[in-house]
Amino acid sequence: EWLHDICERNGWQHKHSPIIWRELVDRGGKGLLLGGVNDFLEYAQHYYGITSPMLSEEMLAIAEENLQAHLETEKEEEEIKGLINPLQIWITSASAPTCYHLIPLLANGEVFGITTEISIHLLDTEQFDEVLCGVVMEAEDMAFPLLRSIAKHAEMEEAFLQADIVIVLDDILFKREAPRLEDCIRELSDTCRVYAPLIEKNAKSGVRVIAAGKTFVNLKALMIKTYGPSIKPENIIALATFWESAAKAMLARKLNVNAAGVKDVIIWGNVTGWSYIDFSHARVYGFDSAIWGPPDFSRLLSNVIHNSCSAEFFSNKICSESLSARSSVNSWEYHGVGMSPAHAVATILRYWYQGSPPGEIVSVGILSEGQFCVPEGIVFSMPVRFHDGTWEVMTDLEINETTQEVLRLLHHDLIQEKLVALRKITEMRPYKDGKITS
C-alpha cells in the first residue's frame, strides 16, 4: 500500500520495494525516482564514483534492524502521547464576551503551568453557533502550544464529558422593568437543574466548578450543589475576584498607586448582591509618603488614609458607586467589558492549581460551615488561601467589631434567596432530552 501510494502521488512506475528517490527541493522540482537498491548503487557509482562493498544479505539485515528500531520509536511516541492527558475545560454560555477573553488566558501556560495541555469545550445554544464557530477558528489560528483542542457544543446530553473544570458564565439578563426575585430564581434554577445532573453524570469525580457572572453568583453555586449532591462541596466556588480587583483598582486611583500594590481587600457576603467590601486588613505597597522601604514594604490602609473617611467605611459608599457603574454597562454589546471578569476567572484558577501568593488574602464564595458565625448551608464570600490544589478559610483572621456587626446582617438576603429557591424546587418545570420544557 505504501509503495502504491508513493508511486501514484508522484507519477512513478515502480513495483518492487525498496524504492529510492532523490528530492529536488533545491531546484523547485518534485522527487526524482532512482529505483531499487541496484539502481541506486549504479546512480551513486556513475555520478559520484562511490560504491558499496556490502552484500545484499547484509543490507537486508540492516534494513530489518532499522525497521524494528523505527517501530519501537513509534511505539514509544504513542505511549508518551497517551500519558499526556489534557485538562478538559467546559465553559457554559460560551458566546459571552468573558469567554472570548478567557481563552487566551487559559491557553498561554500561566494558569495551569507551561507543561499542562488543555482542551476547551464551548457550550451554548444553537442560536449562537455562528459566534462559537468564529471563536473556535480564532483560537485555532493563534496556535497556542498548550491548546490541544477546542470545540463547540450545543447538545446538552454530551455536555461536561470528562470535565476537569466547569466555568458557568450564565447570567440572567434583566429587562428594563424591575424583575421579580421569584422569576429570576426560577430562571436560574431551571439552568442549574439541567447542568448539575449532567456534571454528576459526565464529568470526572473531582471536577471543579466556578460560578461566575454578574447576577446571583452565590445562589448559582448553591443551586449546582443542591441539584448535584455528589459534587464535592469544596469543589464549587462563587467568583468574587472580579469585584475584589475592581475595589482595589478604585482604591488605587484614590491613593495614586499602582492597582497591583493594593492587597488584602475582602469581599464578604453575596458577591453580586448585598456585600461588604472590607478594607480593614488592606495593605498598600509603593505609596508616596514620608515613609519608604524596600519593594516588599507595605503599610496598612488605616495608616495611609487621613481624611474624614475611616478605613471601615471608606468602602461601601464609594465602592458601590464605582462597581455598580461597571454592572450598568451592557457587556453583550461591548466585548471589552469581558476582559476583567475573564482575568478574574483565570486568576482564581491559577491560585487553585498553583497556590495563592503567600500571606495574601483571596475572597471566594464557598458553602458555609459556620465560619465567622455565618449560618451553615449558604454560599457566602469570605477570605481564603489556596495551597496544594485546595483552599482553606482563614478562620484565624481577626475581624473588628464593625465587620462583625455587618456580617450579622449580610446573610439575610442569601437566606431569603435560598428559601425562595427551595420553595420553587417543587414547582420546577421538567426537562427532556437536555432541553427545558414549558
Side-chain angles (χ1 to χ4, degrees):
E1 281 182 25
W2 176 82
L3 180 64
H4 178 269
D5 291 342
I6 289 293
C7 291
E8 189 176 71
R9 189 182 312 133
N10 292 277
W12 296 336
Q13 294 294 328
H14 187 85
K15 298 182 179 179
H16 304 286
S17 191
I19 181 173
I20 300 172
W21 70 92
R22 178 181 178 186
E23 295 291 348
L24 301 177
V25 178
D26 55 333
R27 302 183 189 178
K30 63 179 183 179
L32 172 66
L33 174 65
L34 300 182
V37 175
N38 293 332
D39 299 318
F40 168 69
L41 291 176
E42 290 179 7
Y43 183 91
Q45 174 68 32
H46 179 72
Y47 281 93
Y48 303 106
I50 298 174
T51 187
S52 172
M54 199 178 301
L55 299 175
S56 298
E57 291 77 7
E58 293 177 295
M59 290 185 179
L60 289 172
I62 292 173
E64 181 64 25
E65 184 179 332
N66 289 342
L67 176 61
Q68 291 302 319
H70 173 70
L71 293 176
E72 290 175 6
T73 302
E74 278 193 331
K75 184 179 179 181
E76 288 177 3
E77 290 177 354
E78 289 298 321
E79 289 176 351
I80 292 173
K81 289 181 180 179
L83 294 175
I84 300 175
N85 187 18
L87 279 176
Q88 304 293 328
I89 303 172
W90 284 77
I91 305 175
T92 71
S93 193
S95 61
T98 299
C99 177
Y100 181 82
H101 295 285
L102 178 60
I103 292 172
L105 299 178
L106 297 178
N108 65 13
E110 294 183 5
V111 174
F112 306 107
I114 59 174
T115 60
T116 303
E117 290 191 346
I118 63 173
S119 291
I120 297 178
H121 303 266
L122 309 178
L123 180 65
D124 215 321
T125 57
E126 291 181 355
Q127 71 180 97
F128 295 106
D129 184 73
E130 188 174 343
V131 175
L132 296 189
C133 282
V135 174
V136 169
M137 288 178 62
E138 282 199 56
E140 290 175 340
D141 291 344
M142 294 178 76
F144 292 106
L146 297 177
L147 182 59
R148 173 70 72 87
S149 63
I150 181 168
K152 60 182 179 66
H153 305 270
E155 294 297 327
M156 287 304 302
E157 284 303 316
E158 66 180 26
F160 314 122
L161 285 173
Q162 295 299 305
D164 293 289
I165 299 168
V166 174
I167 303 169
V168 183
L169 298 181
D170 298 67
D171 260 322
I172 297 173
L173 302 180
F174 298 141
K175 298 179 181 179
R176 291 184 179 179
E177 64 272 12
R180 294 172 62 239
L181 177 64
E182 291 81 359
D183 293 336
C184 293
I185 290 178
R186 175 182 288 275
E187 183 178 341
L188 179 67
S189 295
D190 279 344
T191 302
C192 295
R193 192 182 185 215
V194 174
Y195 287 165
L198 288 171
I199 293 174
E200 283 187 306
K201 174 185 175 184
N202 295 338
K204 295 179 182 177
S205 59
V207 62
R208 301 177 182 185
V209 182
I210 294 181
K214 298 190 302 178
T215 56
F216 297 98
V217 172
N218 293 53
L219 185 61
K220 195 185 307 178
L222 180 63
M223 288 291 95
I224 291 174
K225 177 57 189 170
T226 301
Y227 289 117
S230 68
I231 304 173
K232 298 176 181 178
E234 65 271 19
N235 282 1
I236 305 174
I237 63 175
L239 190 70
T241 316
F242 167 68
W243 305 102
E244 181 184 308
S245 299
K248 290 178 180 178
M250 182 278 305
L251 179 58
R253 287 193 295 271
K254 294 287 182 180
L255 298 177
N256 195 28
V257 298
N258 191 312
V262 181
K263 307 290 185 182
D264 299 343
V265 173
I266 304 173
I267 307 294
W268 296 95
N270 191 349
V271 175
T272 50
W274 184 247
S275 60
Y276 175 61
I277 304 172
D278 181 7
F279 287 125
S280 62
H281 295 273
R283 306 190 68 86
V284 182
Y285 293 77
F287 181 66
D288 188 8
S289 68
I291 302 176
W292 277 87
D296 59 349
F297 171 74
S298 66
R299 300 177 63 188
L300 284 171
L301 177 65
S302 57
N303 295 334
V304 171
I305 298 176
H306 302 289
N307 55 29
S308 58
C309 293
S310 67
E312 290 86 355
F313 294 101
F314 182 70
S315 58
N316 282 340
K317 180 172 172 41
I318 302 176
C319 278
S320 61
E321 294 174 358
S322 176
L323 302 185
S324 63
R326 288 170 166 78
S327 299
S328 64
V329 180
N330 189 342
S331 64
W332 293 86
E333 297 178 0
Y334 179 51
H335 271 261
V337 176
M339 293 174 64
S340 185
H343 181 265
V345 174
T347 298
I348 214 67
L349 278 172
R350 175 161 53 86
Y351 290 168
W352 211 342
Y353 277 83
Q354 302 189 52
S356 53
E360 193 168 317
I361 298 174
V362 182
S363 300
V364 167
I366 53 118
L367 189 65
S368 171
E369 295 179 352
Q371 302 95 331
F372 300 107
C373 298
V374 175
E376 297 182 21
I378 59 174
V379 173
F380 196 91
S381 179
M382 58 182 71
V384 305
R385 64 169 64 90
F386 288 87
H387 60 87
D388 299 328
T390 62
W391 53 261
E392 63 177 354
V393 179
M394 300 178 67
T395 52
D396 56 341
L397 196 68
E398 294 184 5
I399 55 177
N400 57 34
E401 293 182 3
T402 301
T403 303
Q404 290 176 352
E405 184 61 32
V406 172
L407 292 184
R408 295 190 189 101
L409 304 174
L410 285 180
H411 61 260
H412 289 302
D413 68 325
L414 286 169
I415 292 177
Q416 181 187 9
E417 288 179 1
K418 179 181 179 180
L419 292 176
V420 173
L422 293 176
R423 188 169 66 245
K424 292 295 179 181
I425 283 179
T426 57
E427 306 171 9
M428 287 295 104
R429 294 166 288 175
Y431 74 96
K432 183 178 181 181
D433 298 328
K435 297 180 180 179
I436 298 293
T437 59
S438 57

